[in-house]
Amino acid sequence: MRVGIAGIAGRMGRLLVEESRAAGHEVIGGTVNRSPGPPDLPIMTLAELADAADVVIDFTHAGTALSHAAAMAEARKPWVLGTSGLTATDEAAVDVAATRIPIVYAANFGPGINILLALARQLGASLPAEQYDAEILEMHHRQKVDAPSGTAIALGRAVAEGRGVSFEQSMESGRHGHTGARKPGAIGFAALRGGQVVGEHTLLFASASEHISLSHRALDRRVFATGAVRAAAWVRSQPPGRYTMTHVLGLSS
Ligand code: NAD
C-alpha cells in the first residue's frame, strides 16, 4: 500500500512513517507546514499527495480540516484523520466528504481506549443518570492546544449515547467560581496539562453509595500510529462513509 502522510514533520507524522514501513507499506511522501520534513521523502501539496497515494493518514491541525476534506473528496482517496479539536463546521465538512470517500476519523486510534468507549456506552446505559454522576478527568503534555481532549469528548459522547441524551446539552466543562450545584445528568470534564504525559483518561461514575471508574493510560504515542496504520489498511476496501476505530477493530457494526 502506498501511504501519504499529512503533517509528516510532526510528532505523530514521524511515528507514522516508521509504523507504516514496519507494517510493510511504502511511504510515498508527505505535507509539511513550517518544519522541514524527513530528508529522504518528497514533500508535496495535499492534492498531489492524495493523487499519488492509495490512502492518506492525516495528523495535523484543526485549521486544515476544511481544505483537507475538500481535497481528499476531490481526489477520491481514502482518508485516515486523527487531528483533534475539530469544530462543528469541520465535522460537517468531514461528513460531506464521507459521501464520496471512506474516512476513518477517531479521537484515539489506540485499541485500549476504543474498548473503553464501548464500556462507557454500556455503563451509561446501565447506571441511571439521576443516581450516577459521570465525570471525566484527563491529563496531557504541556504542548497540547485543545481541551478537553478529543478522547475525553469521545468518552462523554459514549456515555450520552448509552443514556440516550444529547451530549451537547449534558457537557459541563471548565468549572470555575460560583458554579452552583452540579446539574442533574451533567457529564463533567476536567483537564490537566503538564510535562510530557502522552494521554491519561479516567471516567468516573459517582453515586451516593459507590464509585466506579475506568482508567486508561497511553505510555507511548506509538500506539496511536500503529492503530492509524491498521485503519489505513482497513479503510482501503470500504465504501464511502464515515467510520471510527471501533469499526476497524470490529467492536461496532
Ligand atoms: P505536532 O504539533 O507535533 O504535529 C503537527 C504537525 O502538523 C506539525 O509539524 C505542523 O507543522 C503540521 N501542520 C500544521 N498545519 C499543517 C498543514 N496545513 N499542512 C501540513 N502540515 C501541517 O502534533 P502531534 O502530536 O503530531 O499531533 C497532531 C494532531 O493529532 C493533533 O491534533 C493531536 O491532538 C492529534 N492526535 C490525535 C491522536 C489520535 O489518536 N487521534 C493521537 C495523537 C495526536
Side-chain angles (χ1 to χ4, degrees):
M1 182 170 73
R2 285 165 302 163
V3 180
I5 296 171
I8 201 165
R11 275 169 299 196
M12 285 302 300
R14 281 172 279 155
L15 286 174
L16 285 161
V17 172
E18 290 175 21
E19 289 304 300
S20 299
R21 286 175 171 163
H25 306 307
E26 183 195 354
V27 179
I28 56 131
T31 69
V32 297
N33 186 21
R34 284 186 300 272
S35 328
D40 58 328
L41 281 167
I43 297 305
M44 45 190 111
T45 66
L46 187 75
E48 290 164 347
L49 187 68
D51 271 344
D54 294 320
V55 53
V56 170
I57 309 180
D58 180 349
F59 282 67
T60 49
H61 183 273
T64 66
L66 291 180
S67 64
H68 283 197
M72 291 307 303
E74 181 66 29
R76 302 255 170 178
K77 289 290 173 64
W79 186 25
V80 174
L81 177 61
T83 304
S84 68
L86 267 54
T87 64
T89 312
D90 297 332
E91 295 255 2
V94 173
D95 285 336
V96 169
T99 62
R100 297 173 70 185
I101 55 169
I103 301 170
V104 179
Y105 170 44
N108 190 309
F109 280 88
I113 271 285
N114 284 282
I115 292 167
L116 216 67
L117 287 173
L119 292 172
R121 200 169 293 114
Q122 212 176 316
L123 288 175
S126 308
L127 303 172
E130 52 292 357
Q131 286 168 33
Y132 288 83
D133 299 329
E135 291 283 312
I136 296 162
L137 175 68
E138 54 109 337
M139 180 161 187
H140 283 85
H141 52 89
R142 61 168 74 108
Q143 292 91 355
K144 185 157 180 66
V145 294
D146 53 312
S149 71
T151 302
I153 291 171
L155 280 167
R157 279 192 192 284
V159 173
E161 272 170 37
R163 288 179 169 176
V165 299
S166 149
F167 170 68
E168 281 70 22
Q169 284 171 20
S170 313
M171 183 182 195
E172 203 170 282
S173 185
R175 294 185 188 116
H176 178 76
H178 187 80
T179 59
R182 190 179 198 285
K183 279 197 236 95
I187 300 173
F189 288 85
L192 307 181
R193 293 288 176 266
Q196 291 304 327
V197 175
V198 174
E200 296 181 3
H201 294 86
T202 295
L203 166 61
L204 170 71
F205 288 90
S207 83
S209 48
E210 65 175 353
H211 286 184
I212 304 166
S213 62
L214 298 173
S215 290
H216 179 270
R217 179 180 292 174
L219 302 176
D220 186 333
R221 54 172 51 83
R222 193 174 291 277
V223 71
F224 310 128
T226 314
V229 172
R230 183 170 169 179
W234 179 88
V235 76
R236 271 192 81 189
S237 54
Q238 302 305 316
R242 179 165 159 174
Y243 305 95
T244 183
M245 200 55 193
T246 53
H247 296 107
V248 177
L249 296 170
L251 296 169
S252 61
S253 49

mmCIF file of all heavy atoms in Angstrom, residues 6-14 31-35 58-64 67-68 81-85 105-110 141 144-146 150-151 198 221 224-225, ligand 1:
data_model
loop_
_atom_site.group_PDB
_atom_site.id
_atom_site.type_symbol
_atom_site.label_atom_id
_atom_site.label_comp_id
_atom_site.label_asym_id
_atom_site.label_seq_id
_atom_site.Cartn_x
_atom_site.Cartn_y
_atom_site.Cartn_z
ATOM 1 N N ALA A 6 0.046 13.380 5.872
ATOM 2 C CA ALA A 6 -0.124 14.829 6.058
ATOM 3 C C ALA A 6 0.385 15.176 7.449
ATOM 4 O O ALA A 6 0.019 14.526 8.422
ATOM 5 C CB ALA A 6 -1.597 15.200 5.905
ATOM 6 N N GLY A 7 1.260 16.205 7.521
ATOM 7 C CA GLY A 7 1.870 16.563 8.806
ATOM 8 C C GLY A 7 3.041 15.654 9.128
ATOM 9 O O GLY A 7 3.278 15.297 10.278
ATOM 10 N N ILE A 8 3.814 15.333 8.099
ATOM 11 C CA ILE A 8 4.877 14.320 8.238
ATOM 12 C C ILE A 8 6.015 14.769 9.174
ATOM 13 O O ILE A 8 6.758 13.942 9.694
ATOM 14 C CB ILE A 8 5.421 13.935 6.825
ATOM 15 C CG1 ILE A 8 6.108 12.575 6.851
ATOM 16 C CG2 ILE A 8 6.333 15.032 6.254
ATOM 17 C CD1 ILE A 8 6.345 11.979 5.477
ATOM 18 N N ALA A 9 6.122 16.107 9.415
ATOM 19 C CA ALA A 9 7.196 16.589 10.288
ATOM 20 C C ALA A 9 6.794 16.583 11.759
ATOM 21 O O ALA A 9 7.623 16.840 12.638
ATOM 22 C CB ALA A 9 7.598 18.015 9.874
ATOM 23 N N GLY A 10 5.524 16.319 12.045
ATOM 24 C CA GLY A 10 5.045 16.368 13.435
ATOM 25 C C GLY A 10 5.452 15.141 14.227
ATOM 26 O O GLY A 10 6.027 14.187 13.688
ATOM 27 N N ARG A 11 5.134 15.186 15.538
ATOM 28 C CA ARG A 11 5.470 14.038 16.395
ATOM 29 C C ARG A 11 4.781 12.775 15.886
ATOM 30 O O ARG A 11 5.384 11.718 15.781
ATOM 31 C CB ARG A 11 5.017 14.316 17.841
ATOM 32 C CG ARG A 11 6.031 15.103 18.622
ATOM 33 C CD ARG A 11 5.430 15.559 19.907
ATOM 34 N NE ARG A 11 4.274 16.419 19.613
ATOM 35 C CZ ARG A 11 3.701 17.230 20.477
ATOM 36 N NH1 ARG A 11 4.133 17.268 21.710
ATOM 37 N NH2 ARG A 11 2.693 17.989 20.142
ATOM 38 N N MET A 12 3.482 12.900 15.571
ATOM 39 C CA MET A 12 2.757 11.739 15.059
ATOM 40 C C MET A 12 3.230 11.395 13.649
ATOM 41 O O MET A 12 3.377 10.229 13.304
ATOM 42 C CB MET A 12 1.248 12.006 15.070
ATOM 43 C CG MET A 12 0.625 11.942 16.455
ATOM 44 S SD MET A 12 0.889 10.344 17.257
ATOM 45 C CE MET A 12 0.082 9.258 16.107
ATOM 46 N N GLY A 13 3.455 12.420 12.832
ATOM 47 C CA GLY A 13 3.877 12.199 11.441
ATOM 48 C C GLY A 13 5.121 11.331 11.359
ATOM 49 O O GLY A 13 5.194 10.371 10.578
ATOM 50 N N ARG A 14 6.105 11.638 12.210
ATOM 51 C CA ARG A 14 7.367 10.874 12.165
ATOM 52 C C ARG A 14 7.142 9.417 12.581
ATOM 53 O O ARG A 14 7.690 8.492 11.985
ATOM 54 C CB ARG A 14 8.421 11.554 13.042
ATOM 55 C CG ARG A 14 9.054 12.757 12.320
ATOM 56 C CD ARG A 14 9.954 13.554 13.209
ATOM 57 N NE ARG A 14 9.150 14.472 14.032
ATOM 58 C CZ ARG A 14 9.521 14.959 15.204
ATOM 59 N NH1 ARG A 14 10.665 14.616 15.713
ATOM 60 N NH2 ARG A 14 8.748 15.790 15.863
ATOM 61 N N THR A 31 3.051 16.055 3.614
ATOM 62 C CA THR A 31 2.916 17.512 3.600
ATOM 63 C C THR A 31 3.527 18.061 4.879
ATOM 64 O O THR A 31 3.567 17.377 5.904
ATOM 65 C CB THR A 31 1.438 17.949 3.538
ATOM 66 O OG1 THR A 31 0.794 17.619 4.780
ATOM 67 C CG2 THR A 31 0.698 17.284 2.399
ATOM 68 N N VAL A 32 4.018 19.312 4.800
ATOM 69 C CA VAL A 32 4.542 19.990 5.990
ATOM 70 C C VAL A 32 3.944 21.386 6.041
ATOM 71 O O VAL A 32 3.380 21.882 5.059
ATOM 72 C CB VAL A 32 6.089 20.099 5.987
ATOM 73 C CG1 VAL A 32 6.743 18.732 6.018
ATOM 74 C CG2 VAL A 32 6.578 20.897 4.790
ATOM 75 N N ASN A 33 4.115 22.007 7.181
ATOM 76 C CA ASN A 33 3.673 23.394 7.331
ATOM 77 C C ASN A 33 4.915 24.270 7.474
ATOM 78 O O ASN A 33 5.426 24.809 6.507
ATOM 79 C CB ASN A 33 2.755 23.482 8.567
ATOM 80 C CG ASN A 33 2.123 24.828 8.724
ATOM 81 O OD1 ASN A 33 2.041 25.565 7.764
ATOM 82 N ND2 ASN A 33 1.684 25.139 9.913
ATOM 83 N N ARG A 34 5.483 24.299 8.689
ATOM 84 C CA ARG A 34 6.676 25.128 8.901
ATOM 85 C C ARG A 34 7.961 24.297 8.935
ATOM 86 O O ARG A 34 8.935 24.624 8.282
ATOM 87 C CB ARG A 34 6.543 25.903 10.214
ATOM 88 C CG ARG A 34 5.600 27.084 10.110
ATOM 89 C CD ARG A 34 5.614 27.885 11.391
ATOM 90 N NE ARG A 34 5.198 27.090 12.536
ATOM 91 C CZ ARG A 34 3.933 26.962 12.915
ATOM 92 N NH1 ARG A 34 2.986 27.583 12.271
ATOM 93 N NH2 ARG A 34 3.619 26.233 13.967
ATOM 94 N N SER A 35 7.920 23.208 9.717
ATOM 95 C CA SER A 35 9.162 22.447 9.906
ATOM 96 C C SER A 35 9.489 21.644 8.656
ATOM 97 O O SER A 35 8.579 21.206 7.948
ATOM 98 C CB SER A 35 9.000 21.460 11.061
ATOM 99 O OG SER A 35 8.140 21.962 12.030
ATOM 100 N N ASP A 58 -3.619 11.554 8.194
ATOM 101 C CA ASP A 58 -3.535 12.998 8.444
ATOM 102 C C ASP A 58 -3.610 13.289 9.946
ATOM 103 O O ASP A 58 -4.653 13.129 10.569
ATOM 104 C CB ASP A 58 -4.742 13.623 7.690
ATOM 105 C CG ASP A 58 -4.837 15.125 7.811
ATOM 106 O OD1 ASP A 58 -4.124 15.716 8.633
ATOM 107 O OD2 ASP A 58 -5.652 15.703 7.064
ATOM 108 N N PHE A 59 -2.480 13.676 10.526
ATOM 109 C CA PHE A 59 -2.444 14.148 11.921
ATOM 110 C C PHE A 59 -1.795 15.528 11.864
ATOM 111 O O PHE A 59 -0.572 15.646 11.934
ATOM 112 C CB PHE A 59 -1.601 13.229 12.808
ATOM 113 C CG PHE A 59 -2.278 11.946 13.228
ATOM 114 C CD1 PHE A 59 -2.594 10.969 12.303
ATOM 115 C CD2 PHE A 59 -2.583 11.708 14.563
ATOM 116 C CE1 PHE A 59 -3.209 9.776 12.696
ATOM 117 C CE2 PHE A 59 -3.199 10.534 14.964
ATOM 118 C CZ PHE A 59 -3.512 9.568 14.034
ATOM 119 N N THR A 60 -2.619 16.576 11.688
ATOM 120 C CA THR A 60 -2.041 17.916 11.526
ATOM 121 C C THR A 60 -2.618 18.876 12.557
ATOM 122 O O THR A 60 -2.308 18.790 13.741
ATOM 123 C CB THR A 60 -2.265 18.440 10.095
ATOM 124 O OG1 THR A 60 -3.626 18.267 9.718
ATOM 125 C CG2 THR A 60 -1.370 17.744 9.099
ATOM 126 N N HIS A 61 -3.445 19.788 12.110
ATOM 127 C CA HIS A 61 -4.010 20.834 12.976
ATOM 128 C C HIS A 61 -5.431 21.071 12.510
ATOM 129 O O HIS A 61 -5.700 21.004 11.286
ATOM 130 C CB HIS A 61 -3.161 22.112 12.834
ATOM 131 C CG HIS A 61 -3.606 23.213 13.722
ATOM 132 N ND1 HIS A 61 -4.585 24.114 13.354
ATOM 133 C CD2 HIS A 61 -3.234 23.537 14.988
ATOM 134 C CE1 HIS A 61 -4.785 24.954 14.345
ATOM 135 N NE2 HIS A 61 -3.987 24.621 15.348
ATOM 136 N N ALA A 62 -6.330 21.381 13.472
ATOM 137 C CA ALA A 62 -7.750 21.500 13.123
ATOM 138 C C ALA A 62 -7.993 22.543 12.020
ATOM 139 O O ALA A 62 -8.943 22.421 11.248
ATOM 140 C CB ALA A 62 -8.558 21.847 14.367
ATOM 141 N N GLY A 63 -7.094 23.532 11.927
ATOM 142 C CA GLY A 63 -7.241 24.567 10.900
ATOM 143 C C GLY A 63 -7.181 24.024 9.477
ATOM 144 O O GLY A 63 -7.566 24.716 8.522
ATOM 145 N N THR A 64 -6.716 22.805 9.315
ATOM 146 C CA THR A 64 -6.585 22.230 7.965
ATOM 147 C C THR A 64 -7.837 21.459 7.548
ATOM 148 O O THR A 64 -7.952 21.058 6.381
ATOM 149 C CB THR A 64 -5.415 21.218 7.901
ATOM 150 O OG1 THR A 64 -5.746 20.093 8.733
ATOM 151 C CG2 THR A 64 -4.107 21.808 8.377
ATOM 152 N N SER A 67 -10.025 22.460 4.248
ATOM 153 C CA SER A 67 -9.352 22.321 2.950
ATOM 154 C C SER A 67 -8.963 20.859 2.700
ATOM 155 O O SER A 67 -9.044 20.372 1.569
ATOM 156 C CB SER A 67 -8.134 23.244 2.864
ATOM 157 O OG SER A 67 -7.182 22.860 3.821
ATOM 158 N N HIS A 68 -8.576 20.134 3.755
ATOM 159 C CA HIS A 68 -8.197 18.731 3.558
ATOM 160 C C HIS A 68 -9.412 17.882 3.171
ATOM 161 O O HIS A 68 -9.304 16.999 2.322
ATOM 162 C CB HIS A 68 -7.539 18.172 4.827
ATOM 163 C CG HIS A 68 -6.112 18.623 4.989
ATOM 164 N ND1 HIS A 68 -5.216 18.015 5.827
ATOM 165 C CD2 HIS A 68 -5.420 19.641 4.401
ATOM 166 C CE1 HIS A 68 -4.045 18.620 5.754
ATOM 167 N NE2 HIS A 68 -4.144 19.622 4.902
ATOM 168 N N LEU A 81 -8.109 10.177 9.447
ATOM 169 C CA LEU A 81 -7.981 11.504 10.061
ATOM 170 C C LEU A 81 -7.875 11.374 11.580
ATOM 171 O O LEU A 81 -8.779 10.850 12.232
ATOM 172 C CB LEU A 81 -9.210 12.344 9.670
ATOM 173 C CG LEU A 81 -9.299 13.737 10.281
ATOM 174 C CD1 LEU A 81 -8.104 14.601 9.878
ATOM 175 C CD2 LEU A 81 -10.608 14.419 9.845
ATOM 176 N N GLY A 82 -6.747 11.876 12.119
ATOM 177 C CA GLY A 82 -6.533 11.784 13.568
ATOM 178 C C GLY A 82 -6.496 13.126 14.257
ATOM 179 O O GLY A 82 -6.454 13.195 15.487
ATOM 180 N N THR A 83 -6.506 14.216 13.470
ATOM 181 C CA THR A 83 -6.407 15.563 14.045
ATOM 182 C C THR A 83 -7.534 15.804 15.041
ATOM 183 O O THR A 83 -8.692 15.488 14.755
ATOM 184 C CB THR A 83 -6.506 16.591 12.899
ATOM 185 O OG1 THR A 83 -5.482 16.284 11.947
ATOM 186 C CG2 THR A 83 -6.309 18.009 13.406
ATOM 187 N N SER A 84 -7.210 16.400 16.176
ATOM 188 C CA SER A 84 -8.264 16.673 17.164
ATOM 189 C C SER A 84 -8.598 18.165 17.172
ATOM 190 O O SER A 84 -7.941 18.967 16.507
ATOM 191 C CB SER A 84 -7.840 16.184 18.547
ATOM 192 O OG SER A 84 -6.789 16.962 19.024
ATOM 193 N N GLY A 85 -9.636 18.525 17.916
ATOM 194 C CA GLY A 85 -10.045 19.923 18.047
ATOM 195 C C GLY A 85 -10.903 20.417 16.895
ATOM 196 O O GLY A 85 -11.019 21.635 16.679
ATOM 197 N N TYR A 105 -12.248 8.454 11.075
ATOM 198 C CA TYR A 105 -11.932 9.616 11.925
ATOM 199 C C TYR A 105 -12.105 9.170 13.367
ATOM 200 O O TYR A 105 -13.193 8.778 13.775
ATOM 201 C CB TYR A 105 -12.880 10.772 11.583
ATOM 202 C CG TYR A 105 -12.807 11.924 12.541
ATOM 203 C CD1 TYR A 105 -11.582 12.413 12.986
ATOM 204 C CD2 TYR A 105 -13.956 12.549 13.009
ATOM 205 C CE1 TYR A 105 -11.509 13.463 13.872
ATOM 206 C CE2 TYR A 105 -13.897 13.615 13.893
ATOM 207 C CZ TYR A 105 -12.669 14.063 14.319
ATOM 208 O OH TYR A 105 -12.598 15.101 15.202
ATOM 209 N N ALA A 106 -11.016 9.179 14.126
ATOM 210 C CA ALA A 106 -11.087 8.723 15.516
ATOM 211 C C ALA A 106 -10.336 9.694 16.402
ATOM 212 O O ALA A 106 -9.265 10.193 16.040
ATOM 213 C CB ALA A 106 -10.475 7.333 15.639
ATOM 214 N N ALA A 107 -10.903 9.948 17.555
ATOM 215 C CA ALA A 107 -10.242 10.808 18.535
ATOM 216 C C ALA A 107 -9.038 10.094 19.133
ATOM 217 O O ALA A 107 -8.126 10.729 19.671
ATOM 218 C CB ALA A 107 -11.217 11.171 19.641
ATOM 219 N N ASN A 108 -9.048 8.758 19.037
ATOM 220 C CA ASN A 108 -7.964 7.988 19.632
ATOM 221 C C ASN A 108 -7.860 6.667 18.874
ATOM 222 O O ASN A 108 -8.831 5.917 18.802
ATOM 223 C CB ASN A 108 -8.300 7.735 21.113
ATOM 224 C CG ASN A 108 -7.127 7.149 21.864
ATOM 225 O OD1 ASN A 108 -6.542 6.160 21.433
ATOM 226 N ND2 ASN A 108 -6.796 7.738 22.994
ATOM 227 N N PHE A 109 -6.698 6.416 18.305
ATOM 228 C CA PHE A 109 -6.525 5.228 17.473
ATOM 229 C C PHE A 109 -6.010 4.016 18.254
ATOM 230 O O PHE A 109 -5.745 2.980 17.668
ATOM 231 C CB PHE A 109 -5.597 5.537 16.288
ATOM 232 C CG PHE A 109 -6.305 6.241 15.165
ATOM 233 C CD1 PHE A 109 -6.407 7.617 15.130
ATOM 234 C CD2 PHE A 109 -6.905 5.507 14.155
ATOM 235 C CE1 PHE A 109 -7.086 8.259 14.100
ATOM 236 C CE2 PHE A 109 -7.591 6.126 13.130
ATOM 237 C CZ PHE A 109 -7.675 7.518 13.102
ATOM 238 N N GLY A 110 -5.870 4.161 19.570
ATOM 239 C CA GLY A 110 -5.388 3.028 20.374
ATOM 240 C C GLY A 110 -6.494 2.011 20.615
ATOM 241 O O GLY A 110 -7.634 2.398 20.860
ATOM 242 N N HIS A 141 0.311 16.258 27.906
ATOM 243 C CA HIS A 141 1.548 17.049 27.855
ATOM 244 C C HIS A 141 1.275 18.551 27.706
ATOM 245 O O HIS A 141 0.217 18.968 27.253
ATOM 246 C CB HIS A 141 2.412 16.570 26.677
ATOM 247 C CG HIS A 141 1.660 16.520 25.374
ATOM 248 N ND1 HIS A 141 1.587 17.590 24.528
ATOM 249 C CD2 HIS A 141 0.917 15.543 24.800
ATOM 250 C CE1 HIS A 141 0.854 17.273 23.475
ATOM 251 N NE2 HIS A 141 0.423 16.029 23.630
ATOM 252 N N LYS A 144 -0.131 20.441 24.362
ATOM 253 C CA LYS A 144 -1.464 20.188 23.774
ATOM 254 C C LYS A 144 -2.253 21.490 23.698
ATOM 255 O O LYS A 144 -2.330 22.245 24.670
ATOM 256 C CB LYS A 144 -2.216 19.137 24.601
ATOM 257 C CG LYS A 144 -3.547 18.758 23.971
ATOM 258 C CD LYS A 144 -4.041 17.401 24.402
ATOM 259 C CE LYS A 144 -5.372 17.053 23.765
ATOM 260 N NZ LYS A 144 -5.278 16.882 22.307
ATOM 261 N N VAL A 145 -2.892 21.731 22.517
ATOM 262 C CA VAL A 145 -3.518 23.046 22.295
ATOM 263 C C VAL A 145 -5.024 23.053 22.516
ATOM 264 O O VAL A 145 -5.634 24.111 22.536
ATOM 265 C CB VAL A 145 -3.213 23.596 20.867
ATOM 266 C CG1 VAL A 145 -1.733 23.889 20.705
ATOM 267 C CG2 VAL A 145 -3.688 22.647 19.772
ATOM 268 N N ASP A 146 -5.661 21.884 22.635
ATOM 269 C CA ASP A 146 -7.119 21.866 22.795
ATOM 270 C C ASP A 146 -7.514 21.143 24.078
ATOM 271 O O ASP A 146 -6.800 20.266 24.555
ATOM 272 C CB ASP A 146 -7.795 21.213 21.571
ATOM 273 C CG ASP A 146 -7.232 19.836 21.250
ATOM 274 O OD1 ASP A 146 -5.995 19.704 21.208
ATOM 275 O OD2 ASP A 146 -8.014 18.892 21.077
ATOM 276 N N GLY A 150 -9.812 15.239 22.623
ATOM 277 C CA GLY A 150 -10.768 14.564 21.732
ATOM 278 C C GLY A 150 -11.221 13.235 22.336
ATOM 279 O O GLY A 150 -12.385 12.843 22.218
ATOM 280 N N THR A 151 -10.305 12.552 23.019
ATOM 281 C CA THR A 151 -10.657 11.263 23.626
ATOM 282 C C THR A 151 -11.636 11.458 24.775
ATOM 283 O O THR A 151 -12.594 10.695 24.930
ATOM 284 C CB THR A 151 -9.380 10.565 24.136
ATOM 285 O OG1 THR A 151 -8.502 10.421 23.030
ATOM 286 C CG2 THR A 151 -9.682 9.213 24.734
ATOM 287 N N VAL A 198 1.581 11.462 27.745
ATOM 288 C CA VAL A 198 1.079 11.075 26.411
ATOM 289 C C VAL A 198 -0.441 11.140 26.383
ATOM 290 O O VAL A 198 -1.046 11.612 25.410
ATOM 291 C CB VAL A 198 1.580 9.651 26.052
ATOM 292 C CG1 VAL A 198 0.958 9.177 24.745
ATOM 293 C CG2 VAL A 198 3.094 9.631 25.958
ATOM 294 N N ARG A 221 3.062 7.283 22.410
ATOM 295 C CA ARG A 221 2.110 7.699 21.362
ATOM 296 C C ARG A 221 2.212 6.810 20.107
ATOM 297 O O ARG A 221 1.395 6.918 19.218
ATOM 298 C CB ARG A 221 2.244 9.181 20.999
ATOM 299 C CG ARG A 221 3.596 9.650 20.609
ATOM 300 C CD ARG A 221 3.558 11.091 20.086
ATOM 301 N NE ARG A 221 2.873 12.021 20.979
ATOM 302 C CZ ARG A 221 3.411 12.610 22.029
ATOM 303 N NH1 ARG A 221 4.658 12.343 22.344
ATOM 304 N NH2 ARG A 221 2.730 13.453 22.752
ATOM 305 N N PHE A 224 -0.934 5.098 18.921
ATOM 306 C CA PHE A 224 -1.871 5.777 18.011
ATOM 307 C C PHE A 224 -1.436 5.575 16.554
ATOM 308 O O PHE A 224 -2.265 5.412 15.660
ATOM 309 C CB PHE A 224 -1.939 7.289 18.298
ATOM 310 C CG PHE A 224 -2.160 7.628 19.752
ATOM 311 C CD1 PHE A 224 -1.324 8.511 20.420
ATOM 312 C CD2 PHE A 224 -3.221 7.070 20.451
ATOM 313 C CE1 PHE A 224 -1.527 8.831 21.759
ATOM 314 C CE2 PHE A 224 -3.433 7.381 21.787
ATOM 315 C CZ PHE A 224 -2.589 8.262 22.438
ATOM 316 N N ALA A 225 -0.117 5.623 16.329
ATOM 317 C CA ALA A 225 0.400 5.463 14.957
ATOM 318 C C ALA A 225 0.143 4.043 14.455
ATOM 319 O O ALA A 225 -0.287 3.849 13.308
ATOM 320 C CB ALA A 225 1.896 5.782 14.926
HETATM 321 P P1 NAD B 1 2.608 18.188 16.227
HETATM 322 O O1 NAD B 1 2.381 19.628 16.508
HETATM 323 O O2 NAD B 1 3.879 17.543 16.676
HETATM 324 O O3 NAD B 1 2.454 17.898 14.667
HETATM 325 C C1 NAD B 1 1.530 18.500 13.834
HETATM 326 C C2 NAD B 1 2.258 18.810 12.555
HETATM 327 O O4 NAD B 1 1.324 19.233 11.565
HETATM 328 C C3 NAD B 1 3.283 19.934 12.749
HETATM 329 O O5 NAD B 1 4.519 19.521 12.172
HETATM 330 C C4 NAD B 1 2.667 21.087 11.948
HETATM 331 O O6 NAD B 1 3.648 21.954 11.394
HETATM 332 C C5 NAD B 1 1.920 20.305 10.889
HETATM 333 N N1 NAD B 1 0.912 21.088 10.181
HETATM 334 C C6 NAD B 1 0.068 22.030 10.667
HETATM 335 N N2 NAD B 1 -0.655 22.535 9.656
HETATM 336 C C7 NAD B 1 -0.279 21.871 8.535
HETATM 337 C C8 NAD B 1 -0.640 21.948 7.173
HETATM 338 N N3 NAD B 1 -1.555 22.821 6.752
HETATM 339 N N4 NAD B 1 -0.053 21.100 6.295
HETATM 340 C C9 NAD B 1 0.876 20.231 6.703
HETATM 341 N N5 NAD B 1 1.294 20.130 7.983
HETATM 342 C C10 NAD B 1 0.713 20.943 8.870
HETATM 343 O O7 NAD B 1 1.340 17.440 16.869
HETATM 344 P P2 NAD B 1 1.095 15.868 17.039
HETATM 345 O O8 NAD B 1 1.356 15.479 18.461
HETATM 346 O O9 NAD B 1 1.783 15.120 15.942
HETATM 347 O O10 NAD B 1 -0.481 15.809 16.839
HETATM 348 C C11 NAD B 1 -1.087 16.212 15.618
HETATM 349 C C12 NAD B 1 -2.606 16.148 15.773
HETATM 350 O O11 NAD B 1 -3.000 14.799 16.029
HETATM 351 C C13 NAD B 1 -3.157 16.965 16.937
HETATM 352 O O12 NAD B 1 -4.417 17.488 16.580
HETATM 353 C C14 NAD B 1 -3.292 15.930 18.051
HETATM 354 O O13 NAD B 1 -4.259 16.307 19.030
HETATM 355 C C15 NAD B 1 -3.762 14.744 17.239
HETATM 356 N N6 NAD B 1 -3.534 13.442 17.849
HETATM 357 C C16 NAD B 1 -4.522 12.527 17.671
HETATM 358 C C17 NAD B 1 -4.358 11.235 18.140
HETATM 359 C C18 NAD B 1 -5.425 10.212 17.833
HETATM 360 O O14 NAD B 1 -5.268 9.033 18.221
HETATM 361 N N7 NAD B 1 -6.494 10.597 17.137
HETATM 362 C C19 NAD B 1 -3.175 10.874 18.831
HETATM 363 C C20 NAD B 1 -2.182 11.846 18.984
HETATM 364 C C21 NAD B 1 -2.369 13.126 18.479
#
